[in-house]
Amino acid sequence: MLTRLSRSTLSRAKYLSVSRFVSTSSLSINTFNDNEISLSINDKNVKFKTAFLRDSCQCPKAVDQCTKQKLFTTSEGADKLSIASPPAVIQNPETNENILSVKWSNNGSIMNSKYPVSFLENYSTKAGRRIGKFFDKDRKLWDKQEIENNLESLQVDYNDFFNNEEIFFQTVYNLNKYGLTFINNIPEPVLQSMNEENATQWPVFKLASRFGYIKKTFYGTLFDVKNEKEEAKNIANSNTFLPLHMDLLYYESPPGLQLLHFLKNSTIGGENIFCDSFLAAQHVRNVDPVAYDALTKIPITYHYDNNGEYYYFKRPVVIENPDVSEVTSEFPPIEVVNYSPPFQGPLEIGIAETEGDNAVDKGYYAMFDDFLKGLKLFEDFINDPKNHFEIKMKEGSCVIFENRRALHSRNGFSDENGGDRWLMGTYVDGDSFRSKLRTGYRKFK
């Protein structure tokens, strides 16, 4: 049963929607010259470089009002830039919002720019610059108990997903909050087998396309996950236990979302397991900050060298975003996590020449033991059942999860009972998901 977004949730969305929020903050000018303008915003003094303000102008001479594309380069806007007449604070007659008005002389041309105090206020802090783009306060770390307590709110009906904009927003809201959500009551496909020619006719293609464009990989537009009893090219297509991992970390740009539609799932076993990698990283950060620091710096090699393909990339286990800490202390300053042991190549660290000036990775060599400590703490945490959400997915359901946050796994299974297992999956870039999230916050305020 679907639980709609509460009014308090939508109220938060309204507050965070920068495009609809009108500030009543006070604004006054302290000093100005051709290099900077000093302002007082609610009695807080902030200095803005004039080149920043000129570059941020949104007037028709600066930004095409149809395409919304910028009409000049940053260096052009800064070239021979000066203030043509004293700047002033005016008011928007419709909203009474305070506005900074500046007349520029820019390389011989005159331009009038206006900056709402809401813009100036938001851009004066790191937290403000994330408003309307990222929604850190609505994200939440989770373990088994947290997901089980909120599982009902993560269930979305297939028809509602397509036909109800508010429920679609709930789906992307769930993904931002937990990195995990479920679509139910998917109609049974008419087709019996998938290929590139009929890919658009499958439900998982339609689900993924609701977010944006599908990320096609060497697996194809869509991919089947079946039990290949002989010579499986991927561990996911066997019946053995599949450990917790993320997909395609050997790509320069791994997918942001993964979708798995369960067409058949009647085998003995084969339960899916999900774990919040951000919670695990936060655990390491709390227990051993030095080991955590090593996880943010030492790169792991990921590769796929099989079946006529050879992909390769290096990245650390944790990539941070310190700006999150400016917004909230309830969620860790983490951008993404990278963890996929089945697809690791040989480590390229833990090596150093003992003589000469050409030592290899001296810094990484010194951090190697701390890196191993951090990795052990991370793995012990994610392998603890209390941090797992385990589910036997129903046929006709689809799980959608953030590939760079929600680790996924599968128990081994047996088809001795005559059961069968057939999943169909695909990927979507995180950019498409975040675009839908931002526009959803603007609409449901």
Side-chain angles (χ1 to χ4, degrees):
M1 182 177 178
L2 178 67
T3 301
R4 292 175 180 263
L5 287 171
S6 66
R7 290 189 179 275
S8 61
T9 297
L10 293 178
S11 177
R12 288 197 301 274
K14 179 178 181 179
Y15 175 78
L16 291 169
S17 180
V18 65
S19 64
R20 304 295 181 91
F21 176 66
V22 177
S23 174
T24 57
S25 299
S26 63
L27 175 66
S28 60
I29 300 169
N30 297 328
T31 60
F32 67 91
N33 56 47
D34 289 341
N35 184 55
E36 65 183 27
I37 298 178
S38 175
L39 304 173
S40 178
I41 305 173
N42 283 344
D43 299 323
K44 175 184 175 182
N45 294 325
V46 185
K47 291 192 296 185
F48 293 91
K49 288 286 189 180
T50 53
F52 163 80
L53 291 170
R54 170 68 181 90
D55 190 66
S56 302
C57 180
Q58 300 294 300
C59 77
K61 288 185 179 181
V63 175
D64 185 275
Q65 300 303 291
C66 180
T67 66
K68 305 300 182 184
Q69 294 172 359
K70 196 172 178 179
L71 299 174
F72 66 101
T73 70
T74 297
S75 59
E76 287 172 342
D79 188 32
K80 298 182 178 63
L81 180 67
S82 62
I83 297 176
S85 60
V89 174
I90 62 176
Q91 280 191 327
N92 183 320
E94 296 180 358
T95 65
N96 292 324
E97 182 178 18
N98 288 316
I99 294 172
L100 173 68
S101 177
V102 184
K103 179 183 285 188
W104 304 109
S105 175
N106 184 193
N107 201 13
S109 297
I110 299 297
M111 175 179 289
N112 292 293
S113 299
K114 293 180 172 60
Y115 307 93
V117 68
S118 55
F119 168 82
L120 299 168
E121 187 174 25
N122 287 339
Y123 272 75
S124 68
T125 66
K126 289 182 179 180
R129 291 192 281 272
R130 292 181 70 82
I131 291 177
K133 304 182 188 78
F134 303 96
F135 308 94
D136 307 303
K137 289 184 178 180
D138 288 338
R139 306 194 83 186
K140 188 173 180 63
L141 297 172
W142 58 266
D143 56 10
K144 175 182 179 178
Q145 196 63 53
E146 174 69 22
I147 292 294
E148 289 183 348
N149 289 346
N150 293 277
L151 186 57
E152 184 180 2
S153 68
L154 299 179
Q155 308 293 324
V156 177
D157 179 79
Y158 179 84
N159 287 326
D160 289 339
F161 178 84
F162 289 102
N163 299 320
N164 188 309
E165 289 294 327
E166 184 177 342
I167 292 176
F168 176 71
F169 175 63
Q170 177 174 336
T171 308
V172 295
Y173 181 90
N174 290 342
L175 286 167
N176 179 66
K177 185 175 183 178
Y178 292 124
L180 186 67
T181 197
F182 302 90
I183 310 296
N184 301 314
N185 303 318
I186 301 173
E188 187 172 343
V190 176
L191 300 172
Q192 298 301 310
S193 63
M194 183 273 296
N195 55 53
E196 281 298 309
E197 286 68 35
N198 66 26
T200 60
Q201 301 179 48
W202 292 86
V204 74
F205 181 95
K206 298 173 183 177
L207 287 167
S209 298
R210 187 76 165 90
F211 293 97
Y213 296 102
I214 284 177
K215 183 181 181 74
K216 186 176 180 179
T217 69
F218 67 81
Y219 292 120
T221 302
L222 309 179
F223 57 86
D224 285 323
V225 181
K226 294 182 177 180
N227 181 22
E228 299 175 2
K229 297 179 186 279
E230 297 180 3
E231 298 183 356
K233 300 299 183 184
N234 191 304
I235 189 174
N237 292 326
S238 69
N239 66 350
T240 59
F241 171 71
L242 178 65
L244 287 164
H245 69 285
M246 296 164 174
D247 280 19
L248 302 177
L249 295 186
Y250 40 80
Y251 270 48
E252 180 182 9
S253 179
L257 297 182
Q258 181 171 175
L259 295 85
L260 292 173
H261 175 202
F262 287 73
L263 294 156
K264 297 179 181 179
N265 198 27
S266 56
T267 57
I268 300 171
E271 296 83 5
N272 285 85
I273 299 168
F274 299 95
C275 179
D276 188 358
S277 68
F278 285 21
L279 181 67
Q282 178 75 328
H283 168 73
V284 180
R285 189 168 181 252
N286 291 337
V287 171
D288 192 333
V290 175
Y292 173 81
D293 184 62
L295 292 185
T296 69
K297 292 178 178 176
I298 290 184
I300 288 180
T301 303
Y302 296 100
H303 74 171
Y304 181 89
D305 187 5
N306 192 15
N307 199 31
E309 303 281 355
Y310 186 17
Y311 288 77
Y312 167 94
F313 207 85
K314 291 194 302 183
R315 38 182 40 104
V317 175
V318 179
I319 297 177
E320 289 192 310
N321 187 339
D323 288 350
V324 176
S325 297
E326 302 290 332
V327 179
T328 178
S329 61
E330 300 299 317
F331 199 79
I334 298 174
E335 188 76 36
V336 294
V337 167
N338 302 295
Y339 183 79
S340 192
F343 300 99
Q344 278 186 219
L347 291 172
E348 298 179 12
I349 54 174
I351 308 160
E353 293 183 9
T354 57
E355 297 178 0
D357 297 326
N358 298 318
V360 178
D361 289 339
K362 282 184 176 179
Y364 290 159
Y365 190 86
M367 289 189 290
F368 189 74
D369 291 345
D370 290 319
F371 164 76
L372 293 178
K373 288 180 185 177
L375 203 56
K376 180 69 163 57
L377 285 167
F378 183 89
E379 291 182 351
D380 286 348
F381 190 88
I382 66 174
N383 290 322
D384 188 333
K386 72 182 181 183
N387 298 317
H388 293 172
F389 172 65
E390 183 174 312
I391 183 172
K392 179 75 171 183
M393 291 287 295
K394 295 180 180 179
E395 295 180 353
S397 294
C398 178
V399 60
I400 309 175
F401 55 93
E402 272 198 288
N403 182 52
R404 310 293 293 282
R405 177 181 176 182
L407 292 159
H408 65 288
S409 169
R410 173 193 40 74
N411 287 331
F413 63 89
S414 169
D415 57 7
E416 292 179 356
N417 64 335
D420 197 4
R421 194 170 193 274
W422 178 17
L423 283 62
M424 192 174 291
T426 194
Y427 302 106
V428 175
D429 277 324
D431 304 280
S432 297
F433 153 64
R434 286 184 288 273
S435 175
K436 295 297 185 184
L437 181 68
R438 291 166 188 143
T439 56
Y441 266 87
R442 286 179 178 176
K443 186 172 183 178
F444 297 101
K445 60 177 198 169

